[in-house]
Amino acid sequence: MMPYRANPGLLVALIASLVAIAGLFLASAIQTGDGVTVSEVHFRGASGAQMRALLFRPRAATSAKPAPAILAVHGYLNSAEMQANFATEYARRGYVVLAPDQRGHGGSDPVAFADGFGGPDALAYLHSLPFVDRRNIGLEGHSMGGWTVLSAAKAMPDGYRSLVLEGSSVGAPFAPEGARAFPKNLLVVFGTRDEFGGFMWGSESPLATSAVKKLRNLFGTTEPVVPGRLYGRIADGNARMLLTPAVTHAWLHQSSAGITPALDWFGRTLDGGRALDVTDQVWPWREAGNFVALMAVPLLIAGLIAASATFFVKRSAPKQNPAPSPSVARPIAKLVAIALLPALLFIPACMATEALLGQNALFRQTFTNQFAGWALLSALLSLFMLRRKGGGLGMREVPHALALAAIILLPAYVLVLGADQLLHVNPSWWFITIRPISLERARDFLLYAPFFVASCLCSLQLVQAASPLDVGSMGGAVARAMAALAGGFVLFLIAQYGVLAATGHLLLPGEGLRVISAIGFAVFLAFVGLFGAVSQRSHGSVVPGALVSGLFVTWLLVATQPIGV
C-alpha cells in the first residue's frame, strides 16, 4: 500500500481556519465580557428607511432599572464595527450602546447622507428601548459620525446630556453650526496629525486647531482654546473641552488617545455608569483577535489555491525558465516600475473617475467607482507593458479558473458570514474589515468584479513575466510578488505621512480620504501577491490566483463602501 501523504495546501488551510476561528472567538469573548450581550438590531426611521445597528446591552440594564446609554457612530466609508472598540469599553462601564450603520453604509438602506446620516432615527430608537435611562444619554461620533450625532442632537435637543466629537467638527459643510449653547457638554478630540484638519476646522488646523475662529466661537472665547481646560459648567450643560493628541484621523478609534478621553467625559457628564478606571481597557485584545483572523483568512485562501491543484486541476510541469543572469539589476528595475506606476496613478485615476462618473444609478458606490477606474487604468497599463514583452493573459484558462475561484472563496465567505451573524465580529484590523455582502450589495459585486479581476490578472501576469515566480523558493516568490504589487503604495504612504508628521499636512492636502484608502490597498495588494505566487507555484499559472484575487478585492470593497444613490 502507498503511504498516505497529507496535502500541504489543505493542511495550511485547516490550520488557518482554526486560527481564524480562535481569533474571532477571542474578539467575541472580549466584547461580551462582564455580562454584556451584543446583538444585531434593525429599525425603521421616520422616512421608512431601515437601519442596521449593533446593540451592546450590559446585564444590569433592565426595564426595572434602566441604564445610561451612548449612541456611538462611525465615520464615512466605515460601518458599525468601527465603533466596537469604543462600545466594548462603554458597555463594560454599564452603558447601553447603540452603534448604527449610517445611512447607505453597511446594512442600512441607501442613500448615504440622507436623514441626517441616520442620526436622528438612531437616537429615537435608543430612546424607545425600555432598559435605557432616557435622561442619561451621551452621543459620540468619529469623523462624519460626529456630524451624525450633531444632527441627532439638533433633532432632539432634550434627548441627550453630552456629546463627544472624535476627529470631527461642528458647522459647515454638513453639521449644524455650534454655538455657546449647542451642543450640550461637548468634548472635542482632534489630533495634531489629522489628515482633515483644514477641512474640519480651518486652514490653521490641525497643528493650531485651538486658535481657529470656529473653535473659539464654539468655546465662547476670543483667545486660543487651552487643551485640557474645562470651559463652562457641566451642571449648566454648557461645558466645553478640547484635547489634541498627537495622532492621525483614523487612529483615534484604534488607540487610547481617542477612547480614554471619551470614557472620562461620559463618566463626568452621565449618571449611573459603573465606576471603572478609564485606563482599565480590554479592547486591544478584541482588536488582536480580529487581527489574527484577518491574517488567517488570506492564508486559508492561499492554502485552498495550492490544494486545488491536486483536486481540480492536473498540474502542468513548471515552466523551465532560464537561469537568472549574474546581474539582477534589470529584473529589480522592472519590479520597481510595476510597483511604482499604479501607486503614482492612484490619486489621479480616482479623481478622473469621480469627475467622469460621479454618482449614478448603475454604479452606486462613489468610492468603489474611483477604485474601479484606477483598476481599469492599471490593467491597461500592465497589458501594454506585458504585450511589449510578448506575454499573454492566459484567457483560455479563465472560464475554468473562475469556477475554481468561487469554490476556493466559499469556505472563507462562510467563515466570515458565520462570525458576523453569530458572534458579531469580523476579521479586521483598524478600518480594514472583511464583512459579508448583503443582498442589497450583490448587484454591485457583479458590476465591479470585472474591473478588479482584470487588474489582478494583468498585474500578476506582468510580475510573472518580469521575474518568474517559479524560480527560487516559495518565500522568495511571495516576497517578490507582494513587493511588486504593494510596495509602491507603501512608499506612497511613507511620503504622505512623513510630510504630515513634519508639517501637519499631507503631501497632497485635501486628499485625506484617498490617502487613507491607500492604506487598505497596500494590504489588499499584498494579499494579491500572495495568491498569485502560490497559484503559479502550484498550478503553473497565475490565472487561478488572479481570479481569486479579483473576486476577493471586490468582496472587500463592495461589502464596506457606502451607496451614494
Side-chain angles (χ1 to χ4, degrees), residues 321 324 467-478 480 537:
N321 295 292
S467 179
L469 300 173
D470 314 273
V471 175
S473 66
M474 171 67 85
V478 170
R480 291 200 308 277
R537 305 285 293 209

Side-chain angles (χ1 to χ4, degrees), residues 24 27 31 38-42 52-56 72-75 77-88 97-102 105-108 140 142 253-254 259 283 286-287 290 416-417 419-436 441 559-560:
L24 293 166
Q31 73 179 20
V38 181
S39 59
E40 182 178 298
V41 297
H42 298 266
R52 168 198 177 259
L54 293 178
L55 179 65
F56 291 68
V73 188
H74 65 86
L77 310 183
N78 298 147
S79 60
E81 287 74 16
M82 293 302 98
Q83 278 290 311
N85 289 339
F86 282 90
T88 296
V97 186
L98 184 70
D101 289 334
Q102 290 186 39
H105 292 68
S108 292
E140 178 263 315
H142 175 262
H253 57 65
Q254 190 73 7
I259 295 173
W283 66 266
R286 175 192 172 278
E287 199 67 23
N290 285 335
V416 171
L417 179 64
D420 182 81
Q421 294 298 304
L422 301 177
L423 303 178
H424 307 297
V425 293
N426 306 105
S428 64
W429 173 70
W430 200 1
F431 57 85
I432 301 166
T433 305
I434 307 179
R435 296 192 69 243
R441 295 165 180 266
T560 57

Side-chain angles (χ1 to χ4, degrees), residues 56 81 136 149 154 163 197 205 223 250-251 359 412 422 512:
F56 291 68
E81 287 74 16
N136 276 289
V149 295
K154 193 73 172 181
L163 192 149
S205 293
E223 299 296 325
W251 199 248
Q359 294 181 341
L422 301 177

Side-chain angles (χ1 to χ4, degrees), residues 129-222:
L129 300 176
F131 46 84
V132 166
D133 180 359
R134 300 173 184 86
R135 302 164 301 173
N136 276 289
I137 292 180
L139 310 177
E140 178 263 315
H142 175 262
S143 191
M144 200 167 84
W147 301 339
T148 306
V149 295
L150 284 167
S151 297
K154 193 73 172 181
M156 301 179 66
D158 297 322
Y160 74 104
R161 289 186 63 177
S162 60
L163 192 149
V164 176
L165 295 178
E166 298 271 358
S168 191
S169 65
V170 298
F174 298 117
E177 187 64 54
R180 194 68 186 92
F182 176 84
K184 292 187 289 189
N185 290 337
L186 173 67
L187 171 67
V188 177
V189 184
F190 203 82
T192 57
R193 297 299 183 270
D194 195 291
E195 295 91 329
F196 302 99
F199 177 69
M200 289 288 185
W201 289 105
S203 59
E204 294 173 279
S205 293
L207 292 179
T209 301
S210 58
V212 299
K213 182 178 180 181
K214 184 161 71 169
L215 190 80
R216 288 187 283 114
N217 290 342
L218 177 65
F219 276 62
T221 178
T222 58

Side-chain angles (χ1 to χ4, degrees), residues 315-333:
R315 180 180 174 180
S316 59
K319 297 178 181 178
Q320 298 300 315
N321 295 292
S325 62
S327 172
V328 296
R330 190 171 180 182
I332 290 177

Side-chain angles (χ1 to χ4, degrees), residues 491-508:
L491 293 175
F492 170 83
L493 291 168
I494 290 173
Q496 293 290 339
Y497 284 95
V499 172
L500 178 65
T503 67
H505 299 280
L506 291 168
L507 180 60
L508 297 174

Side-chain angles (χ1 to χ4, degrees), residues 315-561:
R315 180 180 174 180
S316 59
K319 297 178 181 178
Q320 298 300 315
N321 295 292
S325 62
S327 172
V328 296
R330 190 171 180 182
I332 290 177
K334 292 177 182 177
L335 291 178
V336 169
I338 293 170
L340 289 180
L341 289 176
L344 292 174
L345 289 172
F346 182 68
I347 299 292
C350 287
M351 293 175 67
T353 306
E354 181 184 32
L356 290 172
L357 281 183
Q359 294 181 341
N360 61 81
L362 181 61
F363 294 98
R364 307 182 301 167
Q365 298 191 359
T366 308
F367 270 78
T368 309
N369 287 351
Q370 298 177 36
F371 303 149
W374 164 80
L376 178 60
L377 181 60
S378 296
L380 293 174
L381 178 63
S382 296
L383 183 60
F384 173 75
M385 297 170 68
L386 188 63
R387 292 301 190 192
R388 290 191 62 184
K389 296 177 66 65
L393 291 178
M395 293 301 293
R396 291 183 179 180
E397 303 175 52
V398 169
H400 179 265
L402 184 61
L404 184 62
I407 294 171
I408 288 171
L409 288 173
L410 182 60
Y413 189 85
V414 170
L415 174 65
V416 171
L417 179 64
D420 182 81
Q421 294 298 304
L422 301 177
L423 303 178
H424 307 297
V425 293
N426 306 105
S428 64
W429 173 70
W430 200 1
F431 57 85
I432 301 166
T433 305
I434 307 179
R435 296 192 69 243
I437 299 174
S438 66
L439 290 176
E440 170 72 35
R441 295 165 180 266
R443 54 154 284 190
D444 300 313
F445 176 85
L446 296 176
L447 282 171
Y448 290 115
F451 297 95
F452 296 104
V453 167
S455 178
C456 291
L457 179 60
C458 292
S459 60
L460 282 172
Q461 288 285 23
L462 183 59
V463 170
Q464 169 65 12
S467 179
L469 300 173
D470 314 273
V471 175
S473 66
M474 171 67 85
V478 170
R480 291 200 308 277
M482 284 184 165
L485 296 178
F489 277 86
V490 172
L491 293 175
F492 170 83
L493 291 168
I494 290 173
Q496 293 290 339
Y497 284 95
V499 172
L500 178 65
T503 67
H505 299 280
L506 291 168
L507 180 60
L508 297 174
E511 289 298 327
L513 278 173
R514 295 185 182 106
V515 169
I516 292 173
S517 296
I519 298 173
F521 272 91
V523 177
F524 301 159
L525 292 175
F527 294 158
V528 173
L530 169 65
F531 299 156
V534 172
S535 178
Q536 182 65 38
R537 305 285 293 209
S538 56
H539 290 262
S541 169
V542 299
V543 174
L547 268 66
V548 168
S549 298
L551 296 179
F552 185 60
V553 171
T554 308
W555 165 16
L556 297 183
L557 292 172
V558 166
T560 57
Q561 295 300 300

